[in-house]
Amino acid sequence: MKRNIVIATLTAAALATGGTVAAFAAGDGEATATQRQTNTSAQAAADRDDAADDRDDDATDDRTAVRGADVTAAEAITAALKHTPGTALSADLDDDGATAWKVSVVKGDGTEYDVRISPDSGKVLGAQRDTDDDNDGDDRAELAAVKGAKTDAREAALAAAHKGTVTEVSIDDDNGTVAWSAETVKGNGHGEWNVALDTGKVTQDRDDDGDDA
């Protein structure tokens, strides 16, 4: 009889201990999941901060570049196409030690050229053929989207100019919608805009949190 009581007591103790261990294990699992969620949220916040810092740095560079620029993006595109006839895919006020507008133009035979335009005089500083084959597929897709569009790069730059000084305009596929993408600076603000290929309507980029209105 005593032996049965001892066995019953040991069994109950084992069950109680096992339940405690299980409870600890469950609690540990919940804590680990919470920690993972916290780490993920912290990383996402850090990524957003890094992206914001990058945009601020880009905006500062753009404001520095436009201070001495008398030639607008639309004028740079016009000058580039006069020198190298074709379809303009982008224009960028490039600051790499020798500030200039860099206009990407695809000629009728499919060859692509980077035409550099002086931001002071609008004169052509040079044109270099782009021999990088890595982006051929992308370039063809962009060219196909632009061809037949009612709004070209120059017109997109003119439309975006109502929001500030345009520092860049390019074709972009944002969330499945192909549109012109334009960046502007105005005072201390920085804006990113989408210009519709068919209507030329300007809307703020949904990913942008700039200060332009």
Side-chain angles (χ1 to χ4, degrees), residues 22-32:
F24 276 121
D28 184 61
E30 291 175 359
T32 301

Side-chain angles (χ1 to χ4, degrees), residues 71 79 100-101 115-126:
V71 176
W101 282 104
V115 186
R116 297 178 67 82
I117 306 296
S118 167
D120 301 322
S121 64
K123 293 182 178 179
V124 176
L125 301 177

Side-chain angles (χ1 to χ4, degrees), residues 72-95:
T72 66
E75 291 169 341
I77 293 170
T78 299
L81 292 177
K82 185 176 181 180
H83 179 272
T84 307
T87 301
L89 294 181
S90 67
D92 179 17
L93 188 55
D94 200 18
D95 186 6

